[in-house]
Amino acid sequence: QVQLVESGGGLVQTGGSLRLSCAASGNFSSINAMAWYRQTPEKQRELVATVTDNGRTKYTDSAKGRFTISGDIAQGTVYLQMNSLKPEDTAVYFCYADFISSGWALDAWGQGTLVTVSS
């Protein structure tokens, strides 16, 4: 089992910045990719950004130019630097990991951290 623990959410004004962190612990031999998703009561969970074990990154259109995903995937840590935040970025942000454990391809989710952007 792999556990993901997020931190760094909070309340920020429009135009402000936040940095989310996620750390994986447990039994895994390798991590293929980590990602950040977000969800609001009105919308389904959506992918915000991903980073693979070879450093490739991908962003949803709304995050491009404002958010940066980084981390040490081999160690199971990932960050999301969010700048120029907008009220529509308000959501619960979830960390996700795609990993190998005992030869099985598995995935895990964090418990979520709330980001609130005030107008």
Side-chain angles (χ1 to χ4, degrees), residues 59-76:
Y59 299 89
T60 190
D61 286 345
S62 63
K64 288 178 183 176
R66 299 188 299 127
F67 294 2
T68 303
I69 189 169
S70 64
D72 185 341
I73 304 307
Q75 296 298 319

Side-chain angles (χ1 to χ4, degrees), residues 88-119:
E88 51 263 44
D89 295 317
T90 296
V92 178
Y93 285 70
F94 296 88
C95 180
Y96 170 86
D98 172 7
F99 63 96
I100 304 295
S101 178
S102 301
W104 293 93
L106 302 170
D107 58 19
W109 293 91
Q111 80 286 353
T113 185
L114 177 63
V115 171
T116 304
V117 184
S118 63
S119 57

Side-chain angles (χ1 to χ4, degrees), residues 3-69:
Q3 295 79 41
L4 302 176
V5 178
E6 304 109 330
S7 61
L11 174 64
V12 64
Q13 291 186 333
T14 296
S17 298
L18 281 175
R19 187 184 192 228
L20 305 183
S21 300
C22 175
S25 62
N27 181 25
F28 60 91
S29 55
S30 63
I31 296 179
N32 299 317
M34 297 186 76
W36 289 96
Y37 286 74
R38 65 186 180 189
Q39 187 171 17
T40 66
E42 298 78 23
K43 294 183 180 180
Q44 291 184 336
R45 192 170 295 189
E46 65 169 352
L47 179 63
V48 177
T50 61
V51 58
T52 63
D53 56 354
N54 60 8
R56 287 189 301 174
T57 59
K58 188 175 182 179
Y59 299 89
T60 190
D61 286 345
S62 63
K64 288 178 183 176
R66 299 188 299 127
F67 294 2
T68 303
I69 189 169

